[in-house]
Amino acid sequence: TGKTSLLPPYSLSLLASLWTCVLGLWFKFCAGDLRIAKRFLWAKELYLFAAPAGACLSLVAGNGASWSVGAFFPVAWCAALAIAFVLKGKTKRRRPLVCECVQKISPPRTIDIIPTTLRWDPVASLPSGDVAGAAAFAYTLARGTGCYFLAAFCLACSGFGRMYWLAHHFFDVLMGAAVGVGACVVIEVVWVKVDKVCLWHVILAHTVMLIFLRAAMKAVKHD
């Protein structure tokens, strides 16, 4: 695929505003407001609207091939998360945070609220859903823009962060990356290329994810 076009100024302003809102919620969460996690991080509405919102944002931000590349990410994200949640329910591997052997040798973390939220689903370690989603983003970034180094860096940061907060073991992170990249490869091989995505692809992928998610969340339940 060719290089994506630069975003117009109004799109950059929109992205900056959205990013500011996300950072504001994150900093409020890190400051100890547990309601933010229950209201936003684990909200069912997030899974209902995240993918359509991503497709709409890509539609606003670009056109032609650039829109298709932007829309490929929610398609890949939905596929990766659906697979990851199903596998979590099957494996039910304990997070490092709740393993006594890890607790004894691990130094304390500065932001206490993050380990607190991780204990809500202590047996959802394998594979890492966050890394699977990051892998979907990295794949889209690499294929759509040719920024392979930046894509690898984003994926590595996601994996490091999940291990630092004792959310996942190293193998869980590798499996999450494999799930995300594997889902993207399968999508391109058997379904649609990164520069040929239409809106109905996003809607169908999102619908399938919700079907899988409903069953998988029963096994990986957040209190």
Side-chain angles (χ1 to χ4, degrees):
T1 58
K3 303 285 185 179
T4 55
S5 59
L6 293 177
L7 299 179
Y10 69 86
S11 299
L12 292 176
S13 299
L14 175 62
L15 291 173
S17 300
L18 291 175
W19 184 240
T20 300
C21 294
V22 171
L23 285 180
L25 290 173
W26 178 245
F27 289 141
K28 188 173 177 62
F29 164 69
C30 292
D33 192 342
L34 197 59
R35 295 173 301 173
I36 296 296
K38 293 184 177 180
R39 188 174 180 182
F40 295 101
L41 299 183
W42 297 123
K44 294 180 179 179
E45 292 77 12
L46 173 67
Y47 297 98
L48 290 174
F49 299 111
C56 292
L57 180 59
S58 64
L59 180 60
V60 171
N63 51 53
S66 61
W67 184 90
S68 179
V69 172
F72 183 84
F73 170 57
V75 171
W77 182 81
C78 287
L81 266 291
I83 297 171
F85 271 103
V86 170
L87 292 177
K88 283 175 181 287
K90 297 294 184 180
T91 60
K92 295 185 179 180
R93 190 180 190 187
R94 299 179 67 193
R95 296 187 184 275
L97 185 69
V98 296
C99 295
E100 294 183 3
C101 58
V102 176
Q103 292 176 354
K104 292 179 181 179
I105 63 175
S106 176
R109 300 298 189 255
T110 303
I111 305 176
D112 295 333
I113 194 170
I114 295 180
T116 299
T117 58
L118 290 175
R119 290 189 175 91
W120 294 349
D121 53 353
V123 291
S125 189
L126 178 65
S128 171
D130 290 78
V131 175
F137 172 79
Y139 184 94
T140 305
L141 181 63
R143 291 280 290 118
T145 67
C147 298
Y148 295 99
F149 178 80
L150 180 59
F153 179 74
C154 291
L155 181 56
C157 286
S158 175
F160 174 79
R162 299 306 287 171
M163 289 189 295
Y164 175 82
W165 291 109
L166 304 180
H168 301 286
H169 303 275
F170 180 65
F171 181 71
D172 307 335
V173 169
L174 290 181
M175 284 299 297
V179 166
V181 173
C184 292
V185 172
V186 171
I187 289 172
E188 281 214 274
V189 171
V190 305
W191 195 20
V192 62
K193 297 295 183 182
V194 70
D195 60 340
K196 301 295 183 181
V197 178
C198 299
L199 184 59
W200 74 267
H201 291 116
V202 180
I203 297 174
L204 179 59
H206 188 59
T207 303
V208 172
M209 185 200 71
L210 292 178
I211 295 174
F212 276 91
L213 191 63
R214 183 176 181 181
M217 288 291 274
K218 295 180 180 179
V220 184
K221 187 178 181 180
H222 304 293
D223 298 325

